Amino acid sequence: MPQTLTQLLDGSVLAMPIAAGLIMGMLTVNVLMLVWAERKVSAWIQMRMGPTEVGPFGLLQTLADMLKLISKQLITPSNVDKPLYHLAPLLAFAPVVAAVALFPFSESTILVQNDYGLLFVFAFGGIAVIAIFMAGWGSNNKYALLGAIRSVAQNISYEVPLILSALSVVLVVNAMGPTLSSGDGVVAINGLDLSHIVMTQDQQGIWFVVLQPIAAIIYFISALAETNRAPFDIPEAESELVAGFHTEYSGMRFSLFFFAEYTNMLIVSMLAVVLFFGGWDGPVLPGPAWFFLKSYAVIFVMMWVRWTFPRLRFDQLMTFCWKVLIPLSILNLLATAFVIAVL
Amino acid sequence: MSSDSQASEGEVYSLNMGPQHPSMHGVLRLLLDLRGEEVIRAKPVIGYSHRAHEKMAENRNTLQFLPNTSRVDYLSGMIYNLGYCQAIEKLLGIDVPERAIYIRVIVNELNRIASHLLWFGTFLLDLGGITPFLYSFDDREEILDILDQVTGSRLTYCYGRFGGVTWDVDETFLTRATAFLARIRERLHMYKQLVTDNVILRERCTGVGVVSEALAKSYGVTGPSLRASGVAYDVRKAEPYGGYDRFDFEVPVLHEGDTMARFHIRIREIEESCKIIEQAIEAIPEGEILPKKMPKRFKLPEGEYYFAVESARGHFGMYIVGDGSDIPVKLKLRTPSFSNLSAMPETLAGTMLADTIAIVGSIDVVMPEIDR
């Protein structure tokens, strides 16, 4: 009996705490694993060992690091803008957690079913920019402010090609027919519903990366910029800006930013899987397993890119976005619309 | 232009970079006046690593000063150490045995490669590429191992003696050096494919931080930074010392004067150094490594003397004033990084903040060498 978790818990007083606990638990484990994986992948690329001491294969190293960060004193530098400085880590942290809840891990494993899931994911991503700017402005530090300025410009610019490339997928989904047979019967197709996007790929037997290769590439590049990953890690370019917007943060406040950054990686990867790689679709293994396998494969490519390329300059980054990516994604969107209209 | 600068006068702010900053090599401090991300004025502040080497030279005899020399520039310490020996030898007319000449050339060039490799890694680190750093350090480690085997130190060598070198090299050393040449050539091929041909690197470096020939000459810029600006000046060719005139090698010159040119020059210098080492290993004769007859005390004749060698960073000169005793009245060290850095304020003005890091990285400054 396919049922979303929301439906299972519907009416129960415990619904909210259980859902929140599930997400937090999953995300904490995910971040710990991702940090470990990043260190191992970078070590592998750089001919090093990576963490080996704590736990098998150094798996518990990040847990130890997290405990250290939690137990550290929270330092508030003098002359910071206190409300902004204190709120920023929380504001960076909350929306990414909320965004994860929207994803369909399989046909029946959806924490929060929302007809406009895609829009909500992008909206939550947009809030992170405000948090970064609050952190940079509130820190009363020139490096932090420079990092924040860069970050705002970069994130706002790269959201445009990111959303445009996702929109071409939405167009394709909507063109696949007026209705879609789901577990509950036949429903009206809705390209903004994340699970509908996956189900369409499932039923058509084709991943959208085949139908929309240009959109997939634009999405991936923009996603790197959106998550401030190398070669677009300009907001926190350590060789220029020390640590960018979170220069003045330490202890748990820093780890909240860190947590948000790595969860953001998971979100853009999961969205890439939903939009282009068929979501939970796959043989033998259960849906969620495929979903996470694919997501981590995308994350691996992101890490691979990070440890291979040098960093772009800020103006080059903006030029690349406005003069290459955005025109290209608009062209792609128009071409998609044209093809759909002709067919 | 004046109205433009007046209009945005209020927007200029200053940013202090260093001496503790992740990409200020050593303890360089840059005071930057910025408008947004554009650098209006850059002012290097030096002196955070001053150890008074020149003063120390005035308080000890010439031999006692020998260990100090490699501490001046710890990245090409061998060249400084042997350069000092060569200066004293020329002054006192000491003949160096053939075998020692070849050993010196080999270790000098190995040290030059090690220095350039370190620069390669840290420069790319400045550009945000972390991985090449570990690869180049892996290569450099091999050189340090080879030099460690013969000198007993990894960085601050005191291998030279007036008239020769401390210890003789054995077959293992020569075999390892030959094996290293094969390895570095393979690696250089990989670096070319992965780093030099990378489009982001080219975008970041081409046309950035142009040091014109006139500017370079007026500030006394030397070494790879000068050769990238179109002047074929290399002390090894211009005033051959230490037997460099016996070897067949080229002085690579480029005319662009930008960061990319400086990058190419250093990579090609590694190749040229490989060629020199190869020839030296082939031709190294058997024999003594120190002259049979040596003076007991190295008394400096009265007068002023100047001797220069080509370090990994450029023209390293020693100006010695002697008064007949074995303690110099004055030993002035002309270090290349100081002059190279002097050209920076003019080069940096008008660039972006990110370029500042790249340009300062590309001239390869070693702060202890500037401060001495």
Side-chain angles (χ1 to χ4, degrees), chain B residues 296-356:
Chain B
K296 283 240 162 54
R297 300 183 68 187
F298 300 96
K299 284 187 180 160
L300 299 170
E302 223 167 296
E304 299 175 6
Y305 309 92
Y306 188 81
F307 184 78
V309 296
E310 180 76 17
S311 92
R313 268 152 281 281
H315 178 107
F316 167 57
M318 287 145 283
Y319 173 70
I320 304 169
V321 182
D323 63 349
S325 76
D326 60 352
I327 298 172
V329 175
K330 169 77 187 169
L331 176 64
K332 155 81 183 155
L333 304 172
R334 189 266 181 214
T335 49
S337 290
F338 179 80
S339 309
N340 294 0
L341 186 70
S342 307
M344 279 303 106
E346 280 192 37
T347 316
L348 292 178
T351 60
M352 303 280 287
L353 180 61
D355 286 339
T356 302

Side-chain angles (χ1 to χ4, degrees), chain B residues 30 42-44 209-222 225-226 229 257 262 334 336-349 351 359-360 363 365 370:
Chain B
L30 277 183
K43 187 181 164 200
V210 176
V211 179
S212 68
E213 192 180 327
L215 182 73
K217 277 180 173 169
S218 66
Y219 277 102
V221 174
T222 48
S225 309
L226 176 70
S229 298
R262 290 189 278 274
R334 189 266 181 214
S337 290
F338 179 80
S339 309
N340 294 0
L341 186 70
S342 307
M344 279 303 106
E346 280 192 37
T347 316
L348 292 178
T351 60
I359 297 164
V360 173
I363 60 160
V365 286
I370 295 179

Side-chain angles (χ1 to χ4, degrees), chain A residues 273-311:
Chain A
V273 168
V274 166
L275 289 174
F276 300 107
F277 297 104
W280 62 75
D281 180 24
V284 189
L285 290 172
W290 272 115
F291 189 83
F292 281 103
L293 269 179
K294 290 175 187 172
S295 301
Y296 285 120
V298 176
I299 289 177
F300 171 74
V301 178
M302 289 172 75
M303 291 178 175
W304 185 8
V305 168
R306 172 176 178 186
W307 297 105
T308 310
F309 288 124
R311 184 185 304 125

Side-chain angles (χ1 to χ4, degrees), chain B residues 69-201:
Chain B
T69 47
S70 58
R71 270 86 175 164
V72 172
D73 175 358
Y74 51 79
L75 294 183
S76 55
M78 188 70 84
I79 301 174
Y80 282 66
N81 187 248
L82 295 176
Y84 176 68
C85 293
Q86 280 153 349
I88 299 292
E89 283 152 11
K90 194 172 178 200
L91 195 50
L92 302 184
I94 303 171
D95 282 328
V96 183
E98 277 295 296
R99 187 171 173 83
I101 289 178
Y102 281 86
I103 294 173
R104 280 178 172 188
V105 166
I106 295 170
V107 291
N108 255 348
E109 294 309 311
L110 280 175
N111 199 208
R112 193 185 312 278
I113 296 176
S115 177
H116 281 352
L117 280 175
L118 184 129
W119 164 84
F120 176 80
T122 52
F123 173 63
L124 286 158
L125 205 57
D126 290 345
L127 291 181
I130 299 160
T131 302
F133 177 76
L134 286 123
Y135 276 72
S136 73
F137 263 58
D138 188 39
D139 292 337
R140 178 173 170 266
E141 196 60 33
E142 184 67 28
I143 300 184
L144 297 189
D145 260 4
I146 296 172
L147 291 180
D148 184 14
Q149 185 199 345
V150 61
T151 66
S153 352
R154 282 165 49 83
L155 279 180
T156 47
Y157 315 101
C158 188
Y159 184 52
R161 289 292 179 271
F162 301 145
V165 291
T166 320
W167 296 286
D168 200 355
V169 298
D170 54 6
E171 272 306 312
T172 347
F173 171 83
L174 296 178
T175 340
R176 283 186 79 180
T178 316
F180 174 77
L181 293 184
R183 174 200 164 122
I184 190 69
R185 279 179 173 147
E186 204 173 291
R187 280 301 184 91
L188 282 177
H189 183 65
M190 184 177 85
Y191 295 152
K192 186 185 177 317
Q193 287 180 322
L194 280 174
V195 180
T196 318
D197 289 348
N198 184 295
V199 62
I200 299 178
L201 180 97

Side-chain angles (χ1 to χ4, degrees), chain B residues 43-61:
Chain B
K43 187 181 164 200
V45 182
I46 59 172
Y48 290 96
S49 179
H50 181 60
R51 289 147 304 158
H53 280 305
E54 290 174 359
K55 191 67 191 166
M56 277 191 248
E58 295 167 21
N59 291 296
R60 58 199 64 198
N61 70 36

